[in-house]
C-alpha cells in the first residue's frame, strides 16, 4: 500500500492489534491499514507518535511527550508521573508495558497504575531500548556502549569497564 500520508513523515511504529487490525504511526497520526486503504484513527496533540504496542485487548500508543491508550473514543491520555520525554518502551509480558522517561527513570504500567522501578539504581538518561526477559528481569540499552540488567531489585551495569564497546544499543532481543 502506497500512500502520500505515510511517505511525508515516514512510518515510526507498527503493531497488529486483535481488536483494531494493523496499525501504523506517521508523524502525529495513527492509522489502520486496510487491504487497499489507510484510515486515520487519531492524532496526538503533542509531539510525534513513535511506538505502538498491542497488549491483549488494549492498544497503547507512545508519543515523545506522553503515553496513550487507543479506543473508539480516540487517544486517551495515561497520566504518567514525571515530566521528561518518553524514550524506550517494551511490553512487560503481563498485558502492560515498561517505559523510560528521560531524567525520571523506568516505569511500569499494569493497565491501571504506574510504578517507578529501580529509582536511584537505574540510570535515568539516554535509554534507547528495553527488553523484559521471560524471567522477569529487565534489560536496558543506552547511548554510549552501556547496558543495564535489572533483576531482583539490583542493577548491574555493563560498560567500558567490562570492555563493552558497541556504541548505541538500539535494540535488544532474547535469543534461546
Amino acid at each position: 500500500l502506497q500512500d502520500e500520508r505515510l511517505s511525508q513523515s515516514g512510518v515510526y511504529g507498527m503493531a497488529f492489534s486483535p481488536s483494531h487490525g494493523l496499525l501504523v504511526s506517521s508523524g502525529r497520526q495513527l492509522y489502520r491499514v486496510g487491504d487497499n486503504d489507510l484510515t486515520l484513527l487519531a492524532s496526538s496533540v503533542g509531539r510525534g507518535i513513535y511506538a505502538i504496542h498491542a497488549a491483549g485487548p488494549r492498544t497503547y500508543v507512545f508519543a515523545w511527550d506522553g503515553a496513550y491508550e487507543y479506543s473508539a473514543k480516540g487517544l486517551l491520555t495515561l497520566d504518567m508521573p514525571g515530566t521528561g520525554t518518553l524514550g524506550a518502551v517494551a511490553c512487560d509480558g503481563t498485558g502492560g508495558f515498561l517505559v523510560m522517561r528521560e531524567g525520571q527513570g523506568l516505569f511500569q504500567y499494569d493497565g491501571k497504575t504506574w510504578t517507578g522501578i529501580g529509582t536511584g539504581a537505574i540510570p535515568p538518561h539516554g535509554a534507547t531500548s528495553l527488553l523484559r526477559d521471560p524471567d522477569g528481569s529487565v534489560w536496558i540499552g543506552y547511548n554510549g556502549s552501556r547496558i543495564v540488567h535489572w533483576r531482583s531489585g539490583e542493577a548491574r551495569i555493563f560498560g567500558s569497564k567490562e570492555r563493552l564497546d558497541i556504541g548505541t544499543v538500539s535494540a535488544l532481543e532474547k535469543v534461546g
Side-chain angles (χ1 to χ4, degrees), residues 118-144:
T119 304
I122 296 175
H125 297 283
T128 54
S129 55
L130 275 172
L131 173 72
R132 168 71 96 180
D133 197 301
D135 69 8
S137 64
V138 179
W139 294 87
I140 308 165
Y142 290 85
N143 292 321

Side-chain angles (χ1 to χ4, degrees), residues 62-137:
F62 301 90
W64 297 110
D65 58 351
Y68 305 87
E69 182 174 348
Y70 174 73
S71 75
K73 296 177 183 175
L75 294 176
L76 308 172
T77 301
L78 301 175
D79 292 323
M80 184 179 181
T83 58
T85 300
L86 298 191
V89 63
C91 289
D92 71 359
T94 65
F97 58 85
L98 299 163
V99 64
M100 286 293 291
R101 180 158 232 165
E102 185 65 22
Q104 303 288 310
L106 179 63
F107 292 89
Q108 181 173 15
Y109 185 72
D110 65 6
K112 294 179 185 174
T113 307
W114 289 99
T115 305
I117 298 175
T119 304
I122 296 175
H125 297 283
T128 54
S129 55
L130 275 172
L131 173 72
R132 168 71 96 180
D133 197 301
D135 69 8
S137 64

